[in-house]
Amino acid sequence: DEHLINDDLLHTILTSSHSSKRSSIRILDWHIDENIVQAGNNYSSQVSRLTVRYQQQDQDDKTSPREKKFFLKVPFNVPNYELWKKLGGYDNEVAMYTEVLPQMYTIEDDEEYFSPRQYYFDDKMSLVLKDLSQSGYRCADRIEQLDVEHSLYALRSLAKFHALSVKLEKTLVYQNQ
């Protein structure tokens, strides 16, 4: 991952995540934490956490150091990857984050999203997503699983996702008539 990261890419990601001017951001340093999830919990990609320390000018023309974390998803380069790619597995995930979800979120005027925001994508790096651990989320243990409260929350989010996907489909069909 590290050989793919440079200041230009970091500026692009930070600008996307802040909706701010590129010139107002100065990169101080950054690092990548590998293996941030338990083995077996990331079946089709390598996931890492990118931490960027930077300075950004505010409205009062002051600069203060800030830190932001991102979730990186890079496809595994393993023997089964070519089969996975032929089946469209990773392309489907990328299309969901880069095309479908942004359209779904424009339909619903709700701040509570059911996915991390996508900040960057390219064929080498793949996906740079909002790190939801910064908002208190964590991966559930796949052996212990979810408690009832979190299971109900997941089901409500899945129902909202399904409803928005149907609404999006109807909107697209109507627009194409």
Side-chain angles (χ1 to χ4, degrees):
D1 292 344
E2 291 193 22
H3 67 279
L4 301 173
I5 308 256
N6 58 45
D7 279 3
D8 192 48
L9 174 63
L10 294 173
H11 275 100
T12 299
I13 294 168
L14 287 169
T15 302
S16 173
S17 72
H18 284 295
S19 301
S20 60
K21 294 180 184 171
R22 190 179 176 89
S23 60
S24 70
I25 296 173
R26 186 171 74 89
I27 307 298
L28 300 174
D29 62 24
W30 59 273
H31 69 276
I32 293 179
D33 297 318
E34 305 282 344
N35 305 321
I36 61 170
V37 296
Q38 284 183 304
N41 284 347
N42 52 324
Y43 302 106
S44 64
S45 60
Q46 175 184 338
V47 295
S48 307
R49 179 171 289 119
L50 168 64
T51 302
V52 183
R53 284 188 357 94
Y54 62 99
Q55 286 184 322
Q56 181 177 17
Q57 283 185 320
D58 59 19
Q59 290 92 352
D60 300 328
D61 219 18
K62 297 178 184 173
T63 59
S64 56
R66 300 177 186 190
E67 181 178 279
K68 192 145 187 149
K69 297 183 181 204
F70 301 93
F71 191 77
L72 307 179
K73 290 193 77 172
V74 179
F76 281 130
N77 191 9
V78 294
N80 291 340
Y81 175 69
E82 287 306 316
L83 174 61
W84 179 244
K85 193 171 182 174
K86 282 182 185 176
L87 294 173
Y90 204 75
D91 292 337
N92 289 341
E93 182 178 15
V94 168
M96 180 60 75
Y97 281 113
T98 60
E99 298 169 29
V100 177
L101 288 170
Q103 289 182 59
M104 289 170 74
Y105 291 139
T106 61
I107 291 173
E108 186 70 24
D109 197 22
D110 186 357
E111 288 296 314
E112 190 174 323
Y113 298 143
F114 41 79
S115 71
R117 180 163 175 226
Q118 177 259 331
Y119 294 121
Y120 183 79
F121 167 74
D122 76 16
D123 290 336
K124 297 178 195 121
M125 174 83 101
S126 289
L127 291 166
V128 177
L129 306 170
K130 178 178 180 177
D131 182 358
L132 294 179
S133 70
Q134 301 298 288
S135 301
Y137 290 90
R138 65 180 178 79
C139 288
D141 184 291
R142 62 191 176 109
I143 305 299
E144 292 180 26
Q145 302 177 350
L146 298 175
D147 59 21
V148 172
E149 178 185 353
H150 288 95
S151 296
L152 291 172
Y153 182 79
L155 288 172
R156 280 192 295 275
S157 293
L158 188 58
K160 182 177 179 179
F161 174 82
H162 178 69
L164 280 175
S165 70
V166 170
K167 196 171 183 180
L168 175 62
E169 181 182 39
K170 287 181 179 180
T171 301
L172 293 176
V173 167
Y174 177 76
Q175 288 174 353
N176 291 328
Q177 289 182 355

